[in-house]
Amino acid sequence: MLNARSSSEAHLYMDLHACECGSFDFDRQHRLELRSDDLVAVYEGVCRQCGRARHFEFQMAEEIPPPAPAFGGPEPSRILDPGEYVAVAYRASRAAGLELLNRPDSEHHK
């Protein structure tokens, strides 16, 4: 089972792991289960492109995670490597930069 430090980290993991057909898009239904003493977040849904069922289970950390935009506490992720975080940060900064370039200076504060 995957170990997530927060629901944000679980969602990022799912966002980075495509369906067999290559699509990342699926409607996620979420529920929490208590298994023994472990809190397990279960995400299920159907791929919008091919209709395959998708299923992820994450054992959630016992500690309350820090507020967003953090993905967890000081310990390293056990499901995402640093390179994946760098790639996501690069895409986000590139998108933000392009958005700024395409807006008038008067809207940059937004």
Side-chain angles (χ1 to χ4, degrees), residues 59-85:
Q59 180 177 339
M60 302 306 291
E62 292 180 16
E63 302 82 30
I64 295 174
F71 288 94
E75 70 283 348
S77 175
R78 295 169 73 187
I79 58 175
L80 297 168
D81 70 56
E84 289 173 303
Y85 281 112

Side-chain angles (χ1 to χ4, degrees), residues 26-93:
F26 78 102
D27 289 320
R28 300 171 189 167
Q29 300 299 314
H30 171 256
R31 71 178 181 276
L32 293 173
E33 298 178 358
L34 191 57
R35 298 183 188 166
S36 298
D37 289 333
D38 298 324
L39 183 62
V40 178
V42 180
Y43 295 88
E44 297 175 313
V46 175
C47 175
R48 288 186 180 167
Q49 182 168 305
C50 71
R52 280 187 181 94
R54 306 218 43 218
H55 181 90
F56 294 89
E57 293 185 358
F58 299 91
Q59 180 177 339
M60 302 306 291
E62 292 180 16
E63 302 82 30
I64 295 174
F71 288 94
E75 70 283 348
S77 175
R78 295 169 73 187
I79 58 175
L80 297 168
D81 70 56
E84 289 173 303
Y85 281 112
V86 169
V88 169
Y90 174 77
R91 285 194 303 266
S93 66

